[in-house]
Amino acid sequence: MAAPPRRIPTPRSSNNAASSQREGRGEIGRENSKDAGRSGKSDAPRSAALDPAANATPGSHAHLFTNLRPPRSIVTFPDPVLRKKTIAITTIDEHIHELVADMKRVMAELGGGGLAAPQVSVPLRLFITAGKPNFPDLVFINPVIEIAGAVEAHDEGCLSLPDIVVAVLRPTAARITATALDGSLFTLETSEFAARVWQHEFDHLEGRLIIDRMTPRDKLTNRKALRDLERAYEERRGG
Ligand code: ZN
């Protein structure tokens, strides 16, 4: 597990597709990747809990982990970390390996299909998706996503929004280019359900949640559950 740190390339276009999962759609239009995948700028969003430690190593992400050691737990709405702009990962070091291992544990414990780093209080551009029998969990570092196809509504839940279900409109096909945990760049395309999962998790890296995509009817249906979450958060902060 203790792999040597690697500098990682920046995904740009998907011309150099390393591999392709299942069949995708031909006509994929460029979308919402405005800042995705660009290398680490210093305008890191910070909160008190995320202030750099005095001994943080330049060029590493150590400062993001000082107060956030495992075991991490799921962060729920309306915790502000879910709204932060996330930072591109520049080095895959032992902290990133540790973060991914811990995220896999949290995702498995909660039975989720995917989990983004902000959901465990780490505002980095990384998410994971759950595998199936004979198909491993996948790690997406600094992903760039392109979406296409007809837009369809489908019910989505979120580990950070327990008891909330939103019928989210999304294009049915997606192509994603990201860096794997071993530092290699890969591209996947699908028009299956994974296209929706990638879009959901990518939204987390942009500080977007499914409740931002609610219809008036969803707003009504979820009003009480959202209020309960807000109240619970206030109580945790107060206590
Ligand atoms: Zn989610």
Side-chain angles (χ1 to χ4, degrees):
M1 190 57 76
R6 288 168 192 272
R7 304 296 296 182
I8 59 177
T10 302
R12 289 192 187 284
S13 76
S14 46
N15 291 344
N16 52 349
S19 61
S20 200
Q21 176 207 5
R22 306 182 188 114
E23 69 283 0
R25 304 272 284 251
E27 68 302 77
I28 301 236
R30 194 128 192 88
E31 243 284 328
N32 70 358
S33 54
K34 85 180 136 58
D35 291 326
R38 303 274 155 74
S39 60
K41 291 172 280 178
S42 58
D43 58 347
R46 284 175 189 156
S47 70
L50 296 171
D51 272 344
N55 60 351
T57 313
S60 86
H61 305 286
H63 63 281
L64 290 167
F65 299 90
T66 306
N67 297 317
L68 299 166
R69 298 259 173 229
R72 298 181 178 88
S73 53
I74 192 76
V75 167
T76 51
F77 175 85
D79 192 304
V81 74
L82 295 170
R83 297 303 198 177
K84 278 185 189 299
K85 182 88 180 137
T86 51
I87 312 163
I89 292 172
T90 54
T91 309
I92 302 175
D93 56 15
E94 74 273 19
H95 299 288
I96 300 297
H97 282 269
E98 182 189 65
L99 170 65
V100 167
D102 213 26
M103 285 173 66
K104 285 184 179 180
R105 176 189 54 78
V106 170
M107 182 174 68
E109 282 175 5
L110 299 175
L115 187 71
Q119 294 182 274
V120 291
S121 252
V122 179
L124 291 177
R125 298 193 75 79
L126 182 158
F127 68 76
I128 62 174
T129 57
K132 300 175 202 159
N134 303 319
F135 198 76
D137 292 351
L138 291 178
V139 179
F140 300 80
I141 296 171
N142 301 340
V144 175
I145 194 166
E146 299 163 73
I147 50 181
V151 172
E152 285 179 5
H154 200 284
D155 283 351
E156 291 183 30
C158 178
L159 295 179
S160 294
L161 288 156
D163 301 325
I164 290 186
V165 176
V166 177
V168 181
L169 286 166
R170 297 194 194 273
T172 52
R175 174 191 294 151
I176 193 162
T177 300
T179 300
L181 203 50
D182 67 1
S184 62
L185 203 59
F186 65 95
T187 297
L188 300 173
E189 283 183 15
T190 188
S191 51
E192 296 182 23
F193 192 72
R196 180 170 288 272
V197 176
W198 297 342
Q199 290 175 67
H200 177 115
E201 301 307 331
F202 188 86
D203 272 356
H204 276 298
L205 305 187
E206 300 290 304
R208 285 193 295 259
L209 300 171
I210 52 173
I211 51 173
D212 304 337
R213 299 175 179 276
M214 289 192 292
T215 60
R217 188 172 152 207
D218 281 334
K219 280 184 186 155
L220 206 61
T221 311
N222 290 308
R223 195 169 54 185
K224 183 180 181 306
L226 275 171
R227 249 202 330 250
D228 288 348
L229 282 173
E230 284 168 340
R231 202 167 295 149
Y233 179 74
E234 289 307 321
E235 279 169 17
R236 280 198 303 279
R237 289 185 66 195

